[in-house]
Amino acid sequence: TGYALEKKVVKSKLGEKVGLPCCHEIPSSESLHNYRVYWQTNTTEVVLAYAEGKEISKHKRYENRTEMDSRNFTLWISPVEILDNGPYQCVVQHKSSQNSFVLCDETVTLFVTADFSKPNITADVSTYSCESTEMVVSCSSHGGFPKPKISGTLNNVSVVWNISWVSESSFSPYNITGELRLNVTKDVSITCSVEYNGFAKSTSLLLKKTNNCIVPTVPPSYNVITASSIIIIIFLLAITLAARYLPRRGKCSSFFK
């Protein structure tokens, strides 16, 4: 249920029931029949009107959503819509036997809000190296009113988001997205807060630096390869020659004996 601030402003959330106070209350000794009560908005559209104890007028947009207290003339609206935002004027006239005169004329402003969803943070890696990781971080929230703002921190240091809003009209819920481009050299904590009408919703996320660096094996140089090949060839030739000549030398020595 909405509540009054300094009897001039009433705040309510979308879908709730809210009461807009009037400026007069009927004494217990009197009857509603002696009064004319007009609730109007923008000083031209009559929301609800009573005369001689009966409802004489009601705006079609408020059909089945409004009623008036017969003692203190409070205007009740349920459920509240975003379009209900704005000033409402309560005019009370007293009807005597001779004439009618205005007892009071007062305006109260209704301020309707709608809760935003909890912010959602996503991070996409664009490029990375062994030293750093470049990321595009997005924070989004939807379905709230009025127009919000996004704030945030990176390791408890404030950051400025690149913000975009989407709304069908000035009296429609907003969707909001903030974007950051970061060069991450170590693991960091990022916080995103969506703020509207004194309320705030926050989400935090740990961003980890990509650490999958592979140190490539250095190929041997051309000179090393050539030298190794020569050594192997000489070794093979030595084995071949030994296999051919050593047995013949053994036969000759047995012959001379």
Side-chain angles (χ1 to χ4, degrees):
T1 302
Y3 54 93
L5 295 179
E6 299 179 357
K7 299 181 180 181
K8 297 284 184 168
V9 177
V10 172
K11 290 186 178 182
S12 178
K13 288 188 177 180
L14 180 69
E16 289 186 344
K17 182 177 182 178
V18 64
L20 304 182
C22 189
C23 47
H24 185 75
E25 184 171 349
I26 299 177
S28 57
S29 58
E30 288 198 68
S31 167
L32 182 61
H33 287 75
N34 297 328
Y35 292 86
R36 285 180 176 267
V37 183
Y38 298 91
W39 271 105
Q40 54 195 31
T41 183
N42 297 327
T43 67
T44 55
E45 294 182 358
V46 175
V47 177
L48 190 66
Y50 270 78
E52 298 181 353
K54 295 180 181 179
E55 181 183 301
I56 59 173
S57 177
K58 180 180 285 188
H59 194 283
K60 62 181 180 180
R61 206 176 65 76
Y62 293 89
E63 284 287 347
N64 303 317
R65 292 198 304 123
T66 55
E67 59 182 357
M68 190 187 74
D69 188 288
S70 60
R71 302 305 300 180
N72 60 19
F73 306 142
T74 295
L75 178 67
W76 291 97
I77 305 175
S78 177
V80 171
E81 300 175 355
I82 291 177
L83 281 174
D84 295 336
N85 264 295
Y88 289 77
Q89 184 180 13
C90 181
V91 180
V92 180
Q93 295 178 345
H94 188 269
K95 182 180 179 183
S96 63
S97 56
Q98 288 82 18
N99 54 16
S100 297
F101 59 94
V102 176
L103 281 175
C104 70
D105 180 345
E106 191 170 89
T107 298
V108 58
T109 300
L110 175 60
F111 199 72
V112 181
T113 64
D115 283 337
F116 280 86
S117 64
K118 186 176 181 180
N120 181 44
I121 303 176
T122 58
D124 294 324
V125 176
S126 54
T127 60
Y128 62 86
S129 65
C130 289
E131 292 77 25
S132 65
T133 301
E134 291 185 9
M135 295 182 179
V136 178
V137 181
S138 295
C139 176
S140 59
S141 181
H142 59 83
F145 189 90
K147 190 176 182 178
K149 63 179 182 177
I150 285 183
S151 62
T153 60
L154 188 67
N155 282 354
N156 296 322
V157 178
S158 297
V159 290
V160 178
W161 297 81
N162 182 19
I163 302 173
S164 60
W165 297 270
V166 176
S167 179
E168 292 181 3
S169 71
S170 58
F171 286 101
S172 297
Y174 286 90
N175 298 338
I176 186 171
T177 300
E179 189 175 277
L180 287 176
R181 292 185 177 272
L182 301 176
N183 191 17
V184 179
T185 57
K186 60 182 180 180
D187 293 355
V188 294
S189 176
I190 189 165
T191 298
C192 173
S193 298
V194 175
E195 302 171 7
Y196 57 103
N197 189 38
F199 299 97
K201 288 191 174 182
S202 302
T203 300
S204 296
L205 181 69
L206 179 63
L207 300 177
K208 292 193 173 185
K209 174 188 170 295
T210 303
N211 191 21
N212 57 351
C213 294
I214 300 175
V215 179
T217 303
V218 179
S221 65
Y222 176 77
N223 292 335
V224 173
I225 294 174
T226 303
S228 300
S229 301
I230 293 172
I231 292 171
I232 293 172
I233 292 170
I234 292 173
F235 180 72
L236 292 174
L237 286 173
I239 293 174
T240 302
L241 291 173
R244 290 183 62 184
Y245 290 106
L246 285 177
R248 290 181 182 180
R249 292 176 63 187
K251 288 179 182 180
C252 292
S253 57
S254 63
F255 173 77
F256 287 111
K257 287 179 181 178

